[in-house]
Amino acid sequence: MKKPRVTVVGGGLAGCEAALQLLARGYGVDMYEMRPEVTTGAHRTGALAELVCSNSLKSEGGDTASAALKDELDAMGCRLIALARECRVPSGSALAVDREKFSAAVESALAAYPDFRLVRREVTEIPAAPAVVACGPLASPAMAEALAAATGKDRLYFYDAVAPIVDGESIDYDSAYFGGRYGRGDDYLNLPMERDEYEAFYEALVGAQTVVLRDFERKELFEGCMPVEEIARRGKDSMRFGPLRPVGLRDPRTGKGAYAVAQLRREHAAGDCFNMVGFQTNLTFPEQKRVFRMIPALCNAEFLRFGVMHRNTYIGPRALDATFMLSGREGVYVAGQLSGVEGYVESIMSGLIAGVNLARREEGRQPAVPPRTTVSGALCRYVAECGEPFQPMNANFGLLPPPEGVRGKERKKCYHERAVCDIIDFTRELEFR
Ligand SMILES: Cc1cc2nc3c(=O)[nH]c(=O)nc-3n(C[C@H](O)[C@H](O)[C@H](O)COP(=O)(O)OP(=O)(O)OC[C@H]3O[C@@H](n4cnc5c(N)ncnc54)[C@H](O)[C@@H]3O)c2cc1C
């Protein structure tokens, strides 16, 4: 049977990976990319797979979630990570690339397929199936409106105001206790601070270095959500009436209240990670580490993701299934940052899963979602299953079921090794490649 042509909207990281997966499986691809005629405000060129900011695809060595995700992508036959390695520039254990070479390599890989067609045009409607919509965090307003109409207006988000997420294992539980305000429930992990600790924290926070927002981001972000450092700047005590308010909280071990209390909420039922409630922030990543570690219970905290505030269009919870197919639109997939993952490599992963699953669906084969013990599988399920409050998610081991009985440094190694074993079994069992 003749394979249908597939429409891919967006020639970014996710769109290019999805297209390469489809072309390799014998599908013709019509890719629509609006640049350079219509710009996003952040891209600088008309090149495909342009890296919009840093040239780093994060770590490759060691037992990090980012390294595990790359190993999983290799096992699944990812094209963009392989091309990135060909364009590598020295950067320690990180996979950093020459961004122009990388775009050129992706463009020639696509152009090598006679069935690939590139159309430089903005798409303003969700295309008919089979299709992959991968318009990215800066999707054009017309496409964003079309997606809002298809998913429900309250399901489409236009910016991120994300608080940091802390690895549960790195918290000092001697300086923390579980409990809700006024004795209601025990959903929160409370981190008390004495007056001198609070004051030192306040001084560090108001003096810390922040990321410079772009013009198109500044207004919408600050109208939507106040960063914690901005709350602090409004007065020395303002945080004690906001995210650090101590009222209704007493340490059950001493019966005493504290001068200020930060609260953490479990981020994910399966994993061991906590969200810092009300700590959406625009501090640079090193500053977040330095300043938030001044909260006594977080003195050795490992941050699984840092807080960010930026323009980011993404589809909210439960509008996609774990193969990134749009609910109510059979055969239409949404990939990349628009799907609710966060980061270059995560976007590439979702493009791969969407492209492969689109092809499998056309061929009447069962869907293929990596196991939940892998970083890619955990992210696919996060997008499909996480409810409100939904935040776009990057690769982190906190999303995976913790390996039993392993603690400390060994735990990361265990996560990594298990993910690699399980992805290899998965690709074999499902004849994934
Ligand atoms: C300012 C900014 C900086 C970022 N920095 C980093 C970073 O340093 N590291 C990191 O890991 N992640 C970063 N991200 C997050 C994310 O990883 C990147 O945005 C990544 O490029 C997402 O991949 P994508 O394929 O989803 O979208 P993109 O790579 O943005 O691709 C989407 C493409 O769709 C096109 N398009 C949009 N609308 C239409 C339309 N209607 N019709 C046709 N074409 C359309 C766009 O022109 C674009 O080429 C950043 C995000 C932003 C907004």
Side-chain angles (χ1 to χ4, degrees):
M1 208 175 78
K2 194 168 180 312
K3 292 180 175 175
R5 290 189 75 81
V6 180
T7 304
V8 174
V9 187
L13 297 175
C16 290
E17 180 65 34
L20 286 166
Q21 293 297 334
L22 286 158
L23 289 160
R25 285 166 173 76
Y27 290 81
V29 169
D30 298 318
M31 175 180 278
Y32 290 83
E33 169 53 57
M34 67 180 188
R35 290 179 290 116
E37 267 77 49
V38 185
T39 59
T40 63
H43 289 82
R44 293 191 195 103
T45 71
L48 299 182
E50 177 181 333
L51 297 176
V52 78
C53 187
S54 154
N55 69 335
S56 168
L57 278 69
K58 302 206 183 122
S59 70
E60 269 209 302
D63 292 315
T64 63
S66 206
L69 179 57
K70 286 187 198 70
D71 290 345
E72 294 170 20
L73 287 170
D74 287 342
M76 290 190 280
C78 177
R79 294 298 309 284
L80 260 64
I81 294 296
L83 291 169
R85 289 204 186 94
E86 289 173 15
C87 308
R88 180 194 281 281
V89 293
S91 182
S93 63
L95 173 56
V97 300
D98 175 321
R99 62 180 79 233
E100 278 147 34
K101 262 196 197 158
F102 175 62
S103 281
V106 174
E107 286 178 359
S108 17
L110 288 163
Y113 289 94
D115 262 351
F116 175 70
R117 192 166 71 105
L118 177 61
V119 185
R120 296 282 183 178
R121 190 194 309 154
E122 180 191 357
V123 176
T124 55
E125 296 290 339
I126 298 177
V132 179
V133 178
C135 296
L138 307 171
S140 73
M143 177 53 86
E145 237 172 71
L147 284 165
T151 56
K153 281 220 180 312
D154 55 340
R155 286 261 182 83
L156 197 78
Y157 296 77
F158 291 96
Y159 61 82
D160 252 359
V162 168
I165 294 176
V166 177
D167 183 348
E169 224 207 13
S170 67
I171 297 169
D172 174 7
Y173 287 91
D174 289 339
S175 307
Y177 61 92
F178 281 100
R181 236 174 262 285
Y182 302 108
R184 279 185 230 122
D186 60 359
D187 291 346
Y188 289 89
L189 181 61
N190 301 296
L191 318 181
M193 298 168 89
E194 296 305 332
R195 184 177 188 140
D196 56 336
E197 292 163 344
Y198 174 84
E199 287 178 353
F201 175 71
Y202 162 81
E203 293 296 343
L205 185 59
V206 294
Q209 208 186 347
T210 53
V211 174
V212 180
L213 291 175
R214 295 165 201 233
D215 283 347
F216 71 88
E217 294 174 312
R218 203 163 291 136
K219 185 163 165 280
E220 39 196 310
L221 283 177
F222 279 75
E223 274 173 6
C225 197
M226 185 73 71
V228 65
E229 61 275 13
E230 207 54 42
I231 298 176
R233 281 196 195 103
R234 301 199 160 183
K236 198 165 189 175
D237 275 331
S238 54
M239 282 191 296
R240 296 203 315 118
F241 292 93
L244 286 173
R245 69 188 183 286
V247 293
L249 291 169
R250 288 191 181 280
D251 188 336
R253 293 164 300 194
T254 60
K256 281 195 193 149
Y259 190 71
V261 181
Q263 289 194 303
L264 306 185
R265 186 177 48 225
R266 206 173 277 284
E267 176 63 24
H268 199 255
D272 187 17
C273 51
F274 290 86
N275 188 300
M276 296 182 70
V277 181
F279 272 70
Q280 51 278 352
T281 179
N282 205 26
L283 258 52
T284 63
F285 292 175
E287 289 289 77
Q288 289 185 42
K289 201 167 173 177
R290 177 179 72 82
V291 176
F292 298 152
R293 279 184 172 178
M294 293 174 76
I295 298 172
L298 301 185
C299 58
N300 294 314
E302 290 296 330
F303 293 90
L304 293 173
R305 76 164 287 171
F306 288 104
V308 285
M309 297 189 75
H310 59 193
R311 160 100 186 271
N312 189 15
T313 310
Y314 62 96
I315 293 185
R318 302 200 177 130
L320 305 176
D321 70 15
T323 66
F324 298 96
M325 189 165 77
L326 189 57
S327 310
R329 291 286 185 117
E330 298 280 304
V332 177
Y333 293 75
V334 175
Q337 189 101 352
L338 196 53
S339 69
V341 298
E342 164 94 26
Y344 293 157
V345 181
E346 292 81 347
S347 295
I348 292 171
M349 179 280 294
S350 75
L352 183 151
I353 298 292
V356 169
N357 276 286
L358 188 157
R360 291 176 75 94
R361 192 175 172 281
E362 287 297 325
E363 291 151 22
R365 298 166 74 199
Q366 62 170 303
V369 180
R372 60 174 75 241
T373 47
T374 61
V375 179
S376 44
L379 280 167
C380 294
R381 285 173 182 79
Y382 178 86
V383 163
E385 294 167 11
C386 179
E388 300 278 7
F390 182 89
Q391 290 182 346
M393 192 51 71
N394 63 344
N396 71 78
F397 286 141
L399 297 172
L400 279 58
E404 275 177 34
V406 191
R407 307 219 62 83
K409 273 197 178 153
E410 277 303 298
R411 202 169 63 133
K412 287 189 180 164
K413 192 162 178 259
C414 225
Y415 274 121
H416 191 167
E417 286 176 357
R418 184 182 64 178
V420 171
C421 282
D422 290 357
I423 203 82
I424 289 169
D425 289 348
F426 160 78
T427 53
R428 267 201 216 117
E429 273 166 33
L430 286 176
E431 293 169 0
F432 187 86
R433 295 183 69 161

